[in-house]
């Protein structure tokens, strides 16, 4: 059986991108990414759900022809307009001039704005339905801000299949198989947390609103726009998105983020990590903020309950690589973390105050008084760091 066949009515027509090095020109793609697109065939009509990046338009059209030959798809349903999914719209319209573009009012305004396409469209509202025949009925649910304001989801009623857009997606290109039951999915879960924390992390409240809209809807197959089609592990995937969007950590580990120009602050970060390990914390990730990519730091911050941040003062304010991380945390409104702050300086301490204002702005819970030191930490200050990290560990292990 072809791996692209998801059911009698649904075929995968997406593509893998192992060429783009940074998603949204920011987030590294060490394992690539897939742009998932689906073809739904009913007794009377055929619909494409979601699209692909512009440069993959021809491949998507080849996939469509492999499945339906010279038949023309009737509808292009757009759940999300970010160009990783909408880039091929103009080429699809050129290949299929009569295809009707289906989206809500905001979607259709963006189709015109991005691509200058305004004709042969069908505007849908929350709860509207579209029939492709007696055997395939689709229902649309508006889910704004998951991840843009126009986002919606499409539910195939008879097969209890949800086309969820970016929700429940992850980084990582597909390796042959499409459906989770046909592959080892372990590689995708870390990339799901990194995808969520980088891309969707700011919109937890809206993810929660979307999840609540489907509380009483049976879903047997989850077709996202990135990563595997989920069947066997739907509850695990939904559970991860549920917890992440509530800003609940996935474990009691600790992320240690530090900036250090000459090693003095690094020594305090290393000391804290050692003390955490000695106190029994097993999930510890240490990042030099000048070297680690932001997406990997954010991913660990979303995963772990504990957070240690150590940074010097620089130009009378917070060391810029650490400030960048703190701004990313604040932008995403990360909450419910137990935090230990360590600030250093050579002559005027500004790092602690600056870090504290970020932490207060996000409502994190500090486990201990911040530690401040000048130049190189003394033996007393190193012990203070050990004690504070030990107190943080004790709190996390309660
Ligand atoms: Fe995969 Fe928000 O686009």
């Amino acid at each position: 059986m072809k791996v692209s066949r998801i059911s009698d009515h649904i075929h995968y027509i997406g593509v893998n991108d192992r060429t783009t090095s940074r998603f949204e020109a920011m987030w590294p793609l060490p394992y690539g990414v897939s742009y998932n697109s689906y073809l739904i065939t009913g007794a009377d009509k055929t619909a494409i759900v979601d699209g692909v990046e512009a440069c993959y338009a021809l491949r998507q059209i080849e996939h469509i022809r492999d499945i339906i030959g010279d038949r023309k798809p009737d509808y292009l349903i757009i759940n999300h307009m970010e160009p990783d999914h909408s880039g091929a719209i103009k080429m699809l319209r050129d290949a299929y001039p009569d295809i009707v573009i289906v989206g809500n009012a905001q979607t259709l305004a963006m189709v015109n704005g991005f691509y200058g396409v305004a004709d042969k469209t069908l505007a849908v509202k929350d709860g509207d339905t579209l029939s492709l025949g007696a055997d395939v009925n689709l229902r649309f649910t508006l889910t704004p801000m998951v991840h843009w304001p126009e986002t919606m989801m499409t539910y195939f009623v008879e097969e209890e299949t949800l086309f969820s857009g970016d929700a429940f997606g992850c980084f990582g290109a597909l390796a042959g198989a499409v459906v989770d039951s046909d592959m080892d999915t372990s590689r995708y879960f870390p990339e799901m947390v990194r995808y969520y924390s980088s891309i969707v992390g700011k919109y937890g409240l809206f993810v929660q609103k979307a999840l609540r809209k489907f509380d009483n809807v049976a879903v047997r197959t989850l077709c996202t726009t990135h990563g595997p089609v989920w069947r066997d592990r739907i509850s695990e995937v939904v559970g991860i998105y549920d917890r992440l969007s509530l800003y609940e950590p996935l474990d009691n580990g600790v992320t240690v983020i530090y900036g250090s120009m000459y090693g003095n602050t690094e020594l305090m970060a290393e000391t804290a990590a050692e003390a955490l390990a000695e106190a029994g914390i097993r999930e510890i990730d240490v990042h030099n903020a000048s070297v680690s990519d932001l997406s990997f730091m954010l991913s660990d911050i979303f995963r772990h309950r504990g957070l240690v941040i150590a940074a010097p003062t620089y130009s009378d304010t917070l060391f810029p690589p650490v400030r960048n991380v703190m701004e990313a945390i604040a932008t995403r409104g990360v909450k419910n973390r137990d935090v230990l702050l360590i600030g250093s300086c050579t002559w005027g301490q500004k790092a602690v105050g600056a870090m504290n204002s970020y932490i207060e702005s996000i409502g994190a819970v500090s486990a201990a008084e911040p530690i401040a030191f000048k130049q190189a930490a003394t033996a007393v200050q190193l012990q203070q760091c050990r004690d504070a990290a030990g107190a943080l560990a004790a709190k996390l292990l309660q």
Side-chain angles (χ1 to χ4, degrees):
M1 189 189 76
K2 281 177 81 72
V3 291
S4 61
R5 183 189 167 282
I6 296 169
S7 75
D8 285 346
H9 295 286
I10 306 170
H11 282 81
Y12 183 82
I13 54 168
V15 299
N16 288 307
D17 180 353
R18 299 186 189 86
T19 306
T20 301
S21 58
R22 286 186 181 262
F23 190 78
E24 293 182 338
M26 280 185 286
W27 314 108
L29 294 171
Y31 313 108
V33 66
S34 67
Y35 309 121
N36 297 346
S37 174
Y38 305 92
L39 187 71
I40 310 178
T41 51
D44 303 328
K45 307 261 185 181
T46 301
I48 298 166
V49 182
D50 301 313
V52 298
E53 265 261 32
C55 60
Y56 294 102
L58 275 180
R59 191 166 301 169
Q60 186 192 27
I61 291 166
E62 282 164 9
H63 289 333
I64 295 167
R65 289 189 176 139
D66 277 349
I67 298 160
I68 57 171
D70 290 336
R71 270 178 67 196
K72 314 278 185 221
D74 300 280
Y75 300 107
L76 169 60
I77 296 168
I78 301 176
N79 283 330
H80 181 26
M81 269 303 292
E82 192 167 2
D84 53 328
H85 310 295
S86 70
I89 282 180
K90 252 179 110 58
M91 286 73 99
L92 276 175
R93 179 47 85 66
D94 287 346
Y96 302 112
D98 294 325
I99 198 166
V100 174
I101 295 173
V102 181
N104 59 67
Q106 291 196 72
T107 308
L108 298 180
M110 288 187 192
V111 173
N112 194 11
F114 273 113
Y115 306 108
V117 173
D119 63 330
K120 297 175 196 160
T121 61
L122 174 64
V124 294
K125 298 189 293 301
D126 194 42
D128 280 359
T129 57
L130 177 69
S131 179
L132 305 183
D135 49 353
V136 179
N137 288 282
L138 306 175
R139 188 171 67 229
F140 305 107
T141 301
L142 302 197
T143 53
M145 301 316 301
V146 187
H147 136 234
W148 278 13
E150 87 301 354
T151 44
M152 67 178 197
M153 298 188 191
T154 300
Y155 183 67
F156 178 176
V157 177
E158 287 80 2
E159 292 199 352
E160 297 180 338
T161 295
L162 183 64
F163 298 87
S164 61
D166 281 351
F168 315 116
C170 60
F171 289 136
L174 298 173
V178 171
V179 180
D180 63 351
S181 47
D182 300 334
M183 65 175 80
D184 172 6
T185 52
S186 54
R187 75 184 80 172
Y188 293 103
F189 285 96
E191 286 294 271
M192 180 175 289
V193 180
R194 194 168 68 89
Y195 172 84
Y196 180 89
S197 50
S198 304
I199 312 287
V200 192
K202 178 177 173 58
Y203 305 112
L205 177 67
F206 297 96
V207 174
Q208 279 295 309
K209 283 185 178 171
L211 286 172
R212 297 294 76 82
K213 283 190 163 187
F214 290 93
D215 271 345
N216 298 311
V217 177
V219 177
R220 281 189 286 142
T221 308
L222 195 49
C223 296
T224 81
T225 46
H226 300 291
V229 167
W230 299 103
R231 240 178 213 150
D232 288 358
R233 303 186 73 171
I234 289 179
S235 60
E236 196 175 339
V237 169
V238 173
I240 288 171
Y241 264 74
D242 189 26
R243 291 190 72 160
L244 293 175
S245 59
L246 288 166
Y247 300 96
E248 282 180 11
L250 301 182
D251 61 45
N252 284 336
V254 180
T255 313
V256 180
I257 308 275
Y258 72 90
S260 188
M261 287 171 276
Y262 300 105
N264 293 298
T265 313
E266 182 177 56
L267 179 61
M268 286 292 252
E270 294 278 19
T271 301
E274 278 174 23
L276 288 163
E278 284 163 10
I281 301 292
R282 291 293 167 259
E283 292 273 352
I284 303 171
D285 287 285
V286 181
H287 293 279
N288 180 341
S290 302
V291 177
S292 284
D293 182 84
L294 180 61
S295 68
F296 288 92
M297 292 189 274
L298 282 172
S299 180
D300 287 335
I301 289 165
F302 268 80
R303 268 193 319 129
H304 300 322
R305 182 178 298 280
L307 177 59
V308 175
I309 306 178
T313 303
Y314 188 91
S315 290
D316 220 20
T317 182
L318 186 58
F319 186 59
V322 175
R323 187 173 63 209
N324 188 35
V325 180
M326 305 240 45
E327 281 177 1
I329 295 171
T331 297
R332 286 158 182 77
V334 178
K335 303 172 202 12
N336 307 324
R337 296 301 184 274
D338 291 315
V339 181
L340 169 62
L341 301 177
I342 302 167
S344 65
C345 69
T346 297
W347 65 91
Q349 179 62 257
K350 291 290 170 60
V352 166
M355 286 191 285
N356 242 337
S357 5
Y358 280 114
I359 291 303
E360 280 169 15
S361 79
I362 62 172
V365 183
S366 271
E369 278 299 302
I371 297 170
F373 71 99
K374 251 185 187 179
Q375 295 128 27
T378 62
V380 169
Q381 286 163 331
L382 286 167
Q383 187 56 47
Q384 198 186 351
C385 177
R386 281 185 188 284
D387 294 345
L392 173 61
K395 190 165 184 202
L396 294 169
L397 293 170
Q398 264 171 13

